[in-house]
Amino acid sequence: MKTFLKSILYVSLTSLILIGCANNDDFTTPDLTGCVELKTTNTIANFKKIATDKATAITGDDIIEGVVVSSDAGGSVFKEIFIVSEDGQESIRVRVDAYSTYGTYGVGQKVYIKLKGLFVQKDPIRKIVALGSDSSLAAIKDYNKYIIKGCKIISGDDFEKTFNNKVSLKEALDEKYIGKLVTIPEVQFKKEFRGKIFASNTSGDFTKVAIEGKEPLSATFYFNVSKNAKGFANEIVPDKSGTMTGIMTRYNAEYQLVPRTMHDLDLTKAPFDGNTDPVDPVDPTDVKPGKFVAFPGADFENWDNFLASIFKNALSDATAQKADGQGWENSRGLAVKGTRAANGFLFSVEKVKMPTDATKISFLMKGKAAKSLSINIYKGNGTNYYAYNLENVSVSKIVKPNMEETSFNGVPSGNTTNVYDGVIDTKGQWVKVTLDLGELKGDYHKAGTGSFIGFRSGKAGDYDLVIDEIRFEDGTPVNGGTDPVDPDPSGDFFPKNAVYAGDMRTNEAAFLATVNDRGLTKDIGAFKPGAGPDKQGALSIEIPAASSSNLIYFGLLANDTTSKAKKVSFYVKGISSGSLSIGVMDSTGKEKGFNVGAISTTDVVLNSIAGTNDYKGAINTAGKWVKVTVDLTKVPGGLATSGDFIKFRVGAKYAPFDLLISSFFIE
């Protein structure tokens, strides 16, 4: 009886506290009926450390605890629950296949999560650790088996102090607040949204209503309302300023505030003069070209020089066009005009040496576009890149790089994300866009063996721009001259006048002429023109799932030249779970195996013969071409003069494989 009365008293006091508070007490009081107390075996902070970019099954019997900060009472938080650790520091997102969970898992409700049987992922798009029911992170159908209601509700001042983060609009744009509750003062909706309906069945899955503050921002920020949000259906976007509360989320580079109900809006003050566009630092200098052109043809006056500097010596999309008389001071420029079906390159510059001490590169631009541009500055390896996303442009600006590297199946990609959100309108005037290279700390491609810079545009956006005068603002021109110069055309990968045993330089037919009559084993990969080092062709190895046996991909033919070779080399790039084995035929026709083993980012020399073919050892070259050399002097009795010279074997049992290999050349 005492326990029963104590429970009634606890619930009554909690209800009184909830009724007496503002904002976060405008939600249905969680019902403690059926609550239990469990012993935790882990914390949210420690548990999050095991999460990777790939969804992974949880096999341990761990139990964690936290406090619910979200509510689906208004419908905008849809089939998900945001839970924060009891110290307010760590957040997770739990996907549930249910509506109206707020009655059981209300704001302030302590919950336990039984992790065994669920899947966990560090969502690379939303930047939060999430739980789901399978490897696709689908919503959990029997969620009440895993999310257990505790016998504690945190409310009033205790909740506000620990779980409601009072931050400015600029402070809110920080990953540490993702998945947490924030309250932002001195904000309003942008003028073009006021007086319109928040959400309707015709507005797509979500309605994004732009938020602005009194200070300019370096990123776009939206009030994100689901079309399923009945609490917002037919509600009018307020025309006042004040305070907004919601769950802080992110999708790629875009920050979003997800409201729980209309009570999360406290907009009662007169609107202020807003900052209509997010801006990067404004370049205060006069609009004029930089110090020296960034590559041959970068001022577009000599069109042939420009084409000679770019990939495949041609523009990559029809929206990029020569613009005679439309450039700076009525010179020739590059027009970007029209709409494209997919995000992609306009052009990319390759095989041009660059200054070693530059800190800024700039270009001039004029016109309008419904979407923005994204520019790749390639890292020192000439393959991976940093994305410079222009976003909104109306005046001259300085753009900093996106430094957040993406991952694929838990493996870092070496690249950052291109984003095309934003509008360009220079009001018919030339503006100067400066890319700040300082944060790269010298990690941009200088040697002239790979890519240096690439201009990209977004899909389904109407472009009407002119670009001109791509120049360095500082640094020392290559060779002390006024402009960068082309490197030695032979390239740094393959020796000049190299002898090719497996020739992928031009096309598949030329390569197959060096392959024995068995040709290429089907379904392993394909010839890729221009995908190799020095713009040569390459052969892909694409095996998504493990095979029942390891495979011979191809055999290269022996001849008088190969029989006298001391070394044979090739390049490899990519990622795989297994490795390769190179079989070299001796003078009697017997195969001597050289097992490649693990490959990272350093060159590999194979100088010992293995008793058997072995394919153990993962490959991850981090986007670089890595040279593999076989020391042929280790083959006793000399090499074959006819028949096969080499058999190239792939450990298909150890898939997946996602590799490129280059021509085989004799040294």
Side-chain angles (χ1 to χ4, degrees), residues 242-474:
T243 297
M244 298 185 193
T245 298
I247 305 299
M248 195 70 192
T249 65
R250 183 172 165 179
Y251 192 84
N252 284 324
E254 186 178 280
Y255 285 89
Q256 301 171 346
L257 185 70
V258 180
R260 299 166 300 176
T261 71
M262 281 293 290
H263 293 296
D264 278 336
L265 295 178
D266 184 14
L267 305 176
T268 58
K269 300 177 182 177
F272 49 80
D273 291 332
N275 291 278
T276 56
D277 292 323
V279 296
D280 283 313
V282 173
D283 186 347
T285 61
D286 294 334
V287 176
K288 60 182 180 181
K291 183 178 178 183
F292 57 91
V293 294
F295 53 89
D299 58 0
F300 304 107
E301 290 305 297
N302 189 322
W303 192 254
D304 289 338
N305 280 356
F306 168 64
L307 293 179
S309 300
I310 64 177
F311 179 63
K312 292 188 176 180
N313 307 128
L315 293 163
S316 300
D317 189 73
T319 56
Q321 307 157 16
K322 185 194 294 187
D324 289 334
Q326 298 177 49
W328 174 251
E329 295 184 338
N330 301 315
S331 64
R332 178 181 290 154
L334 177 74
V336 185
K337 194 171 182 65
T339 303
R340 65 188 301 169
N343 302 328
F345 283 101
L346 298 167
F347 65 89
S348 61
V349 176
E350 299 185 325
K351 306 293 184 183
V352 179
K353 290 181 179 178
M354 295 296 159
T356 60
D357 54 351
T359 65
K360 294 183 179 71
I361 188 170
S362 66
F363 61 94
L364 307 183
M365 182 172 66
K366 180 171 71 171
K368 293 183 177 182
K371 282 200 167 181
S372 195
L373 301 175
S374 183
I375 298 168
N376 292 350
I377 294 291
Y378 286 84
K379 296 183 178 181
N381 61 21
T383 302
N384 299 112
Y385 57 83
Y386 299 100
Y388 284 75
N389 301 315
L390 269 58
E391 297 186 333
N392 295 286
V393 181
S394 58
V395 296
S396 296
K397 69 187 296 186
I398 299 169
V399 182
K400 293 186 177 294
N402 177 1
M403 299 295 288
E404 188 171 335
E405 187 174 337
T406 59
S407 296
F408 176 74
N409 287 338
V411 178
S413 70
N415 305 318
T416 64
T417 303
N418 298 108
V419 177
Y420 309 94
D421 293 338
V423 174
I424 299 173
D425 186 359
T426 71
K427 306 292 192 296
Q429 303 298 311
W430 285 101
V431 300
K432 186 173 187 175
V433 177
T434 302
L435 310 182
D436 185 351
L437 306 180
E439 289 189 33
L440 308 187
K441 301 186 186 309
D443 185 22
Y444 62 87
H445 188 64
K446 312 174 188 75
T449 57
S451 299
F452 167 63
I453 189 171
F455 278 63
R456 296 175 60 93
S457 59
K459 66 179 180 180
D462 191 20
Y463 286 83
D464 189 4
L465 301 173
V466 178
I467 295 168
D468 203 357
E469 300 289 352
I470 305 171
R471 289 176 171 261
F472 283 103
E473 292 289 310
D474 56 8

Side-chain angles (χ1 to χ4, degrees), residues 51-111:
T52 67
D53 291 348
K54 183 178 180 180
T56 306
I58 303 170
T59 57
D61 283 316
D62 275 342
I63 298 174
I64 58 175
E65 65 182 351
V67 175
V68 176
V69 296
S70 61
S71 171
D72 59 2
S76 202
V77 178
F78 184 66
K79 290 192 172 184
E80 58 188 357
I81 301 172
F82 290 91
I83 296 169
V84 175
S85 59
E86 286 200 274
D87 61 3
Q89 297 302 305
E90 302 290 340
S91 61
I92 57 173
R93 172 179 176 248
V94 185
R95 301 203 61 211
V96 296
D97 191 17
Y99 309 92
S100 303
T101 61
Y102 64 92
T104 304
Y105 309 113
V107 174
Q109 173 72 61
K110 180 179 176 180
V111 294

Side-chain angles (χ1 to χ4, degrees), residues 54 409 541-546 575-578 652 654-658:
K54 183 178 180 180
N409 287 338
I541 303 175
E542 302 170 83
I543 307 176
I575 298 172
S576 66
S577 295
Y654 298 89
F657 281 78
D658 187 8

